[in-house]
């Protein structure tokens, strides 16, 4: 084993360096190289725990001695290290998948004491005060890992998702550009979702009058933000594999690091994006079994995320509130086109919410398309060829267990929302009625430019008179 090559960045921190920065350098450089070498067969799988103990373990202080920022940074870094330990152990023999915790028990002592990796991570998570799970998770792997991201509209910052590093770097498993681009897509998408939730949330909680002008404006901005998010994801899918993400890398490299650390725990997954979960609850587009799914995902979320979702789940959805206020006598499904026009003329909020639900349904369709392109369709081809599904993480379903049929059903639920009858009216007519047409006219041609990393949103310097009323609430779950 080429020990010098894989440990070089951390054995001796410089005068102006610190242990956390040294671990960061090892994760960004030598660790990714070691992962690549093991996956290519140039190094044996047991090289990884040996290098963790030799190169990283001595750098770590007692968990309780770190400050808040270093603690959160180490949760990101050691989450990636733990994913490597788990994957390489489980790939050595199929039987190892039944006892994933053994990956951390043999020859991996870290810290000054030293102590086992799982115990160290457990104490670090507890010391962070964030309620971080005792393994890698979506919040630290994606949101904390990447630089801060922002959503802007009309010169106002609508949302921000924090990061815990200030180096502008992105930590990955193998340093492949596929992983960098995919991580960026996930966090930018969540930033869009956060801005949408902050826009419509005051309507659902009663702080904005559902029948007032501000409600129409907020719903219009939300619809355009969802359009921007859809374009961001559709543009990503349209990239050739060499410029975006190859299905092979996604299935055989990226996903295979989302292993269990203990039997039955919840690995990191895009399904743990709390903003997407909240949007379904707020809009009332949840599928049957959605609450049970939330309960299963709970251990993989931060407490602040669980609390926010529980609060939203306990109140009526926005669609239900709007229908209660507008009170169509015979229901929308039985109304004629003339009756529908009269109804939305009296209550434009119905049309505005319909446009949001339609934009949400179209975004759901793009998400399903991405899942089919990068996961389900290639796996079907593998099954037909006899290659099967040999990875330690199954490619026949999502990391949290959701399969293609479940995703298709969820997409249909979002498409057949409670206001679907309004599809009988021309979209352009509804956009004029609700003011969305005026918002669109003042918006840039590329709505995906509403989000960016660390102040790079193209809309940041585009002041107009149409920003949202009142300051945006801060992002929740920040360390």
């Amino acid at each position: 084993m080429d020990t010098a090559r894989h440990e070089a960045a951390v054995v001796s921190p410089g005068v102006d360096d610190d242990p956390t920065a040294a671990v960061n350098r090892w994760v960004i450089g030598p660790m990714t190289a070691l992962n690549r070498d093991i996956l290519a067969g140039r190094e044996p799988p047991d090289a990884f725990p040996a290098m963790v103990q030799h190169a990283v373990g001595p750098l770590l202080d007692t968990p309780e001695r770190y400050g808040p920022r270093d603690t959160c940074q180490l949760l990101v870094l050691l989450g990636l290290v733990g994913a490597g330990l788990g994957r390489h152990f489980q790939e050595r023999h199929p039987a190892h998948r039944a006892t994933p915790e053994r990956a951390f028990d043999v020859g991996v002592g870290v810290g000054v004491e030293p102590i086992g990796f799982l115990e160290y991570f457990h104490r670090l998570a507890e010391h962070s005060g964030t309620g971080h799970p005792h393994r890698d998770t979506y919040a630290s792997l994606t949101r904390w890992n990447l630089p801060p991201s922002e959503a802007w509209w009309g010169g106002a910052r609508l949302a921000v998702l924090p990061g815990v590093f200030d180096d502008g770097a992105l930590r990955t498993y193998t340093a492949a550009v596929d992983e960098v681009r995919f991580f960026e897509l996930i966090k930018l998408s969540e930033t869009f979702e956060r801005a949408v939730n902050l826009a419509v949330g005051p309507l659902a909680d009663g702080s904005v009058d559902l029948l007032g002008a501000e409600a129409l404006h907020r719903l219009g901005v939300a619809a355009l933000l969802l359009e921007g998010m859809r374009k961001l994801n559709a543009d990503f899918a349209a990239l050739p594999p060499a410029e975006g993400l190859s299905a092979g890398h996604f299935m055989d490299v990226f996903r295979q690091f989302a292993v269990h650390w203990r039997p039955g725990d919840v690995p990191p997954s895009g399904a743990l994006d709390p903003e997407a979960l909240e949007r379904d609850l707020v809009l009332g587009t949840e599928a049957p079994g959605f609450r049970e799914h939330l309960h299963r995902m709970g251990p993989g979320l931060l407490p602040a995320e669980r609390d926010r979702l529980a609060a939203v789940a306990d109140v009526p959805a926005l669609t239900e509130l709007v229908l209660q206020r507008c009170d169509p006598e015979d229901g929308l499904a039985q109304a004629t086109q003339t009756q529908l026009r009269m109804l939305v003329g009296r209550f434009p909020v119905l049309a505005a919410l319909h446009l949001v639900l339609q934009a949400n349904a179209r975004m759901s369709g793009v998400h399903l398309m991405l899942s089919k392109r990068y996961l389900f369709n290639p796996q079907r081809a593998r099954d037909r060829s006899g290659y099967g599904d040999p990875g330690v993480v199954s490619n026949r379903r999502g990391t949290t267990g959701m399969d293609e049929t479940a995703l298709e059903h969820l997409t249909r639920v979002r498409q057949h929302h409670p206001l679907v009858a309004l599809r009988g009216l021309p979209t352009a007519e509804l956009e004029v009625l609700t003011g969305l047409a005026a918002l669109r006219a003042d918006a840039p041609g590329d709505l995906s430019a509403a989000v960016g990393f660390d102040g790079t949103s193209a809309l940041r310097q585009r002041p107009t008179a149409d920003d949202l009323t009142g300051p945006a609430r801060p992002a929740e779950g920040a360390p």
Side-chain angles (χ1 to χ4, degrees), residues 366-432:
V366 170
H367 177 257
L368 178 62
M369 177 268 290
L370 287 166
S371 300
K372 288 178 178 289
R373 173 168 181 170
Y374 294 115
L375 185 62
F376 298 124
N377 290 344
Q379 183 55 46
R380 258 194 301 277
R382 291 181 174 190
D383 287 336
R384 287 193 298 267
S385 72
Y387 181 81
D389 185 29
V392 294
V393 177
S394 174
N395 284 317
R396 293 193 176 112
R397 62 190 68 247
T399 308
T400 59
M402 188 172 288
D403 60 16
E404 185 175 17
T405 300
L407 280 176
E408 289 172 338
H409 178 65
L410 180 56
T411 301
R412 287 193 297 270
V413 168
R414 290 167 176 160
Q415 291 170 341
H416 297 284
H417 54 77
L419 303 184
V420 70
L422 294 179
R423 286 183 189 166
L425 300 179
T427 298
E429 179 181 321
L430 298 181
E431 289 195 1
V432 171

Side-chain angles (χ1 to χ4, degrees), residues 117-204:
F117 185 90
L118 281 184
E119 180 183 350
Y120 190 95
F121 199 97
H122 177 122
R123 286 169 55 180
L124 195 69
E126 291 296 309
H127 177 59
S128 74
T130 63
H132 191 283
H134 300 155
R135 56 155 300 143
D136 60 339
T137 196
Y138 172 86
S140 54
L141 179 64
T142 302
R143 193 180 313 123
W144 296 1
N145 182 358
L146 277 74
S149 56
E150 302 172 336
W152 287 77
W153 191 272
R157 189 172 71 177
L158 303 187
V160 57
L161 291 184
V164 298
F165 295 90
D166 55 10
D167 56 5
L170 196 167
R171 285 135 283 274
T172 68
Y173 302 113
T174 69
V177 68
D178 304 66
E179 295 168 30
V180 172
R181 291 167 178 153
F182 189 63
F183 273 126
E184 290 176 343
L185 176 70
I186 294 172
K187 183 159 184 176
L188 290 176
S189 294
E190 188 185 2
T191 311
F192 266 118
E193 293 168 337
R194 184 70 184 134
V196 170
N197 290 339
L198 288 169
V200 303
L203 281 69

